[in-house]
């Protein structure tokens, strides 16, 4: 995340706090996170998709499209 435009200037504690207070999705390759997306939601009627990234070496393979498709079609609950 240190190379992302949205986290490169945020303190690590702010990043941890934002992740703890959100619904997060990750894509892994052999245990290594290669993609990430975060949702801010009221848990009832809406969500805001933010902080999406795919590691450079995995881009161009449709990973972000599959990640977003998975999120959009998920039954999102916070309970």
């Amino acid at each position: 995340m240190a190379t992302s435009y949205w986290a490169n200037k945020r303190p690590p504690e702010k990043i941890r706090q934002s992740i703890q207070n959100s619904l997060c999705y990750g894509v892994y390759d052999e245990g290594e996170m290669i993609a990430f997306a975060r949702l801010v939601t009221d848990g009832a009627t809406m969500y805001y998709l933010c902080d999406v990234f795919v590691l450079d070496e995995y881009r161009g393979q449709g990973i972000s499209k599959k990640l977003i498709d998975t999120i959009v079609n998920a039954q999102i609950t916070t309970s």
Side-chain angles (χ1 to χ4, degrees):
M1 287 191 232
T3 60
S4 69
Y5 75 91
W6 52 266
N8 65 354
K9 293 183 173 112
R10 290 183 193 165
E13 182 52 38
K14 285 285 186 190
I15 295 170
R16 278 191 287 279
Q17 186 178 15
S18 70
I19 289 170
Q20 289 172 348
N21 292 312
S22 303
L23 296 176
C24 299
Y25 289 78
V27 178
Y28 296 82
D29 182 21
E30 296 184 16
E32 178 186 359
M33 182 183 283
I34 62 166
F36 175 84
R38 184 169 75 90
L39 297 180
V40 179
T41 181
D42 64 6
T45 61
M46 57 73 65
Y47 65 85
Y48 171 68
L49 175 64
C50 55
D51 298 346
V52 178
F53 81 88
V54 177
L55 292 179
D56 288 342
E57 58 268 30
Y58 290 90
R59 292 183 182 167
Q61 301 177 35
I63 294 169
S64 63
K65 289 177 184 154
K66 180 63 176 170
L67 175 59
I68 300 305
D69 182 63
T70 299
I71 293 168
V72 169
N73 292 302
Q75 296 280 339
I76 297 173
T77 62
T78 57
S79 55

